[in-house]
Amino acid sequence: MINRYTVVCLRREFQVEQADRITDLGLLVLYDDAFIAYLNGAEVARKGIDRGRGSYVQGIKSHDAKDPEFVMLSGWQRHLKN
């Protein structure tokens, strides 16, 4: 990927049993520079990239992918489906 892509979009489908019993939800992510996480089309986390309009590459901060980081998701409750 080096010197070939500025943005990579990945999608992961998963199933949850008894979604109404989940109290916290997080994501273990290894990222280089920035990421934005969505749950059923709604943003639930972001690191290293400013909010705003336009290109995803605007406002990106430098971050080396060394160790996975655990990120708590916010506002996920209304987007998790049974």
Side-chain angles (χ1 to χ4, degrees):
M1 290 179 40
I2 295 174
N3 297 322
R4 299 194 72 180
Y5 305 101
T6 56
V7 176
V8 175
C9 298
L10 305 170
R11 183 180 182 139
R12 175 69 181 192
E13 185 175 313
F14 64 95
Q15 294 187 7
V16 176
E17 293 183 25
Q18 299 178 330
D20 57 330
R21 299 188 72 193
I22 296 175
T23 58
D24 291 311
L25 192 61
L27 177 67
L28 185 62
V29 60
L30 178 64
Y31 66 98
D32 190 0
D33 292 338
F35 79 91
I36 303 174
Y38 295 87
L39 180 60
N40 290 321
E43 183 180 322
V44 291
R46 78 169 47 217
K47 289 279 188 167
I49 187 169
D50 296 334
R51 293 186 188 278
R53 298 175 189 242
S55 172
Y56 281 107
V57 297
Q58 293 175 342
I60 293 180
K61 297 161 186 66
S62 180
H63 176 274
D64 291 329
K66 293 180 182 175
D67 295 309
E69 183 177 339
F70 186 78
V71 178
M72 291 299 295
L73 304 183
S74 63
W76 58 269
Q77 294 88 341
R78 62 184 170 274
H79 305 292
L80 191 61
K81 300 176 183 176
N82 281 327

